[in-house]
Amino acid sequence: MAVDYVVIAVYLAGMLAMGWWGMRRARSKSEFLVAGRRLGPALYSGTMAAIVLGGASTIGGVGLGYQYGLSGAWMVFTIGLGLLALSVFFSARIARLKVYTVSEMLDLRYGGRAGLISGVVMWAYTLMLAVTSTIAYATIFDVLFDINRTLAIVLGGSIVVAYSTLGGMWSITLTDMVQFVVKTIGVLLLLLPIAVVKAGGFAEMKAELPTSYFDPLGIGGETIFTYVLIYTFGMLIGQDIWQRVFTARSDRTARWGGTVAGTYCLVYALAGAVIGTAAKVLYPKLGSPDDAFATIVKDELPVGVRGLVLAAALAAVMSTSSGALIACATVANNDIWSRLRGIVRPSAEEHDEVRGNRAFILLMGVAVIGTAIALNNVVEALTVAYNLLVGGLLVPILGGLLWRRGTVQGALAAVVVGGVAVVGLMAAYGILANEPVYYGLLASLVAYVAGSLATRPTDEAVLTAWRERLAGRGNPELVSESVPAPR
């Protein structure tokens, strides 16, 4: 294992070094929060793929493959579909808005009164997303070093908080690119073929397992539909995803770079399911499906390769964790704290903006680590977060982009009614039930349409300003072109 430890140590040291390098680049609010909106296609595609494919997509995706076979790919597959839909239909318009948060977009569209309450919902979602990613360190570091859960969370979480606080989005982008490469090599190029060979090839896998393991719909139509509602639509509206769209240097980069990342997700989904299916052949009686990834890595991979694949799992967790952390801090500072205090800082105070956002990343990072240590049920926490996100914010966000007649009253009604409905239905049916997101989303839609039609249309001046921003005009942010855009 000594070689494996060296591989992991070098990887973690590299993450911290990139955080230090990113600190030298992040000298303005735009540079710190959205990498100066200057990412080219290669960096954009890599960082987008890295953030959406986290520990749940890697360890959880293999676990679903172990439990259901090839149809276990559907969870990650719907994430890829959501990213493709976002990239093709919405990313260019989102990038042209030149904002920092989803709530700022709602303020622009509805006239400046929808941001605070939507910010609170988005903050809760990003916080729980960061928490659940951080908890995954316990599984990985337990395999690596056999250390207890709390120490594993503190160790992994502290590294992510350190490089995110130092360099903001620049550090996260650079580390994401390394994580993207490590995941590609470790999972797709090494673990996938080795797992299939160790299981005797596809012919042996088909002979050993029930035919349901090779049924594309074996996981169940209702489950697939729920994945679409939660993950595909969640990709369309999450602050962590939008903040990456804001980093694109052009409409074309956002559209095509995101399309490449979405396609990569589809491949990654199938790979995880195949690895899990192979693990079922090799270890038919594991205590938990989520143990499949760690077990096959520990028992079947040679020294050195094992370290690289575990680094890939660590990379998957870190990329999602860091993206969720900076999103959580951005929402907390820009959408909640500044509004509550009534502070409007002049754009000239660039240094103060960086310092303030850096402090919020550190503060939110400590909160995430503390919550992760205290929390036990990761699946329930993440389900609550996604149900609130989709039930409360999907309708007003997509309605603002697609329906001119939508009003701020309708948007606020949708957030409140959808959020309350989701919480009430989770209490009635159970957190993991499908009904809360189904009926909560329907209640939000009804409230949005009824509230909008019952109130006066949005002021024409607001809509005109909105159309100007969607067209890429009327942007208050002056972006320097003196530094070449990274490719």
Side-chain angles (χ1 to χ4, degrees):
M1 285 291 287
V3 175
D4 297 327
Y5 291 160
V6 171
V7 172
I8 298 297
V10 169
Y11 168 75
L12 294 177
M15 296 299 99
L16 292 174
M18 289 181 183
W20 182 261
W21 185 91
M23 183 175 65
R24 300 169 64 88
R25 295 291 302 266
R27 299 184 181 276
S28 69
K29 178 180 179 180
S30 176
E31 295 284 348
F32 190 82
L33 293 181
V34 291
R37 309 188 194 276
R38 294 189 289 111
L39 296 192
L43 282 179
Y44 181 86
S45 297
T47 191
M48 185 63 88
I51 189 176
V52 299
L53 296 174
S57 300
T58 304
I59 298 171
V62 171
L64 286 171
Y66 182 89
Q67 189 173 3
Y68 297 105
L70 298 186
S71 66
W74 272 106
M75 183 188 77
V76 183
F77 201 83
T78 55
I79 290 173
L81 292 178
L83 187 51
L84 285 171
L86 175 71
S87 301
V88 173
F89 298 112
F90 300 109
S91 63
R93 282 184 284 178
I94 292 170
R96 286 196 294 265
L97 290 174
K98 296 295 188 291
V99 295
Y100 292 101
T101 68
V102 174
S103 295
E104 287 181 39
M105 168 264 170
L106 292 174
D107 278 349
L108 280 172
R109 169 59 181 83
Y110 294 113
R113 290 173 289 172
L116 179 59
I117 189 170
S118 64
V120 171
V121 174
M122 189 64 76
W123 173 79
Y125 157 73
T126 53
L127 178 72
M128 295 314 301
L129 183 62
V131 166
T132 54
S133 300
T134 302
I135 290 174
Y137 297 129
T139 300
I140 298 170
F141 280 106
D142 178 58
V143 173
L144 288 173
F145 307 119
D146 192 26
I147 59 179
N148 69 61
R149 178 180 183 274
T150 297
L151 183 58
I153 289 172
V154 171
L155 178 60
S158 296
I159 293 171
V160 170
V161 172
Y163 72 69
S164 301
T165 301
L166 286 172
M169 187 59 81
W170 271 121
S171 295
I172 291 171
T173 296
L174 294 173
T175 54
D176 276 357
M177 283 305 300
V178 174
Q179 290 157 356
F180 171 74
V181 172
V182 170
K183 281 192 288 191
T184 301
I185 295 173
V187 175
L188 297 185
L189 301 184
L190 291 176
L191 183 57
L192 174 61
I194 289 174
V196 172
V197 170
K198 291 284 187 178
F202 284 103
E204 180 65 20
M205 290 163 62
K206 286 186 176 180
E208 290 287 330
L209 297 173
T211 56
S212 62
Y213 267 70
F214 302 92
D215 180 357
L217 303 179
I219 198 170
E222 185 177 356
T223 298
I224 295 171
F225 182 65
T226 301
Y227 284 160
V228 170
L229 282 183
I230 293 177
Y231 297 112
T232 301
F233 287 132
M235 289 297 106
L236 298 180
I237 59 175
Q239 170 67 25
D240 51 324
I241 309 302
W242 278 41
Q243 199 155 344
R244 299 311 172 97
V245 176
F246 300 151
T247 65
R249 73 181 182 197
S250 67
D251 297 358
R252 183 179 178 84
T253 297
R255 182 181 295 111
W256 292 108
T259 300
V260 170
T263 303
Y264 178 89
C265 291
L266 304 183
V267 175
Y268 200 88
L270 184 59
V274 171
I275 293 168
T277 304
K280 184 67 175 179
V281 174
L282 294 168
Y283 313 100
K285 296 183 180 181
L286 288 178
S288 168
D290 286 339
D291 292 338
F293 181 89
T295 302
I296 198 170
V297 169
K298 285 176 63 178
D299 294 351
E300 305 297 338
L301 299 186
V303 173
V305 173
R306 180 170 52 212
L308 183 59
V309 174
L310 287 173
L314 194 58
V317 176
M318 283 187 161
S319 57
T320 299
S321 181
S322 59
L325 176 60
I326 193 172
C328 178
T330 302
V331 171
N333 187 18
N334 291 271
D335 292 338
I336 300 175
W337 180 245
S338 292
R339 293 170 192 266
L340 291 176
R341 293 185 58 190
I343 293 176
V344 180
R345 294 173 178 165
S347 59
E349 297 182 14
E350 299 289 0
H351 181 71
D352 289 341
E353 290 280 11
V354 172
R355 184 182 303 147
N357 282 290
R358 185 173 282 138
F360 263 87
I361 289 182
L362 181 60
L363 179 64
M364 292 298 107
V366 172
V368 165
I369 292 173
T371 306
I373 292 171
L375 199 63
N376 289 319
N377 198 316
V378 181
V379 174
E380 289 191 359
L382 191 60
T383 301
V384 169
Y386 267 103
N387 281 351
L388 282 173
L389 176 71
V390 174
L393 292 181
L394 178 68
V395 169
I397 291 172
L398 294 188
L401 289 169
L402 300 173
W403 192 37
R404 187 177 184 276
R405 184 61 178 82
T407 68
V408 65
Q409 291 86 358
L412 290 172
V415 174
V416 174
V417 171
V420 170
V422 163
V423 171
L425 289 165
M426 283 191 292
Y429 288 96
I431 290 176
L432 298 179
N434 294 326
E435 287 83 358
V437 72
Y438 294 169
Y439 300 137
L441 190 57
L442 179 61
S444 180
L445 177 61
V446 171
Y448 181 70
V449 173
S452 296
L453 294 178
T455 54
R456 297 181 60 181
T458 303
D459 188 90
E460 189 58 38
V462 172
L463 291 177
T464 299
W466 166 253
R467 287 192 292 268
E468 287 292 299
R469 290 291 285 272
L470 279 179
R473 300 185 294 268
N475 172 29
E477 185 178 89
L478 299 177
V479 181
S480 171
E481 298 179 356
S482 60
V483 181
R487 297 177 184 274

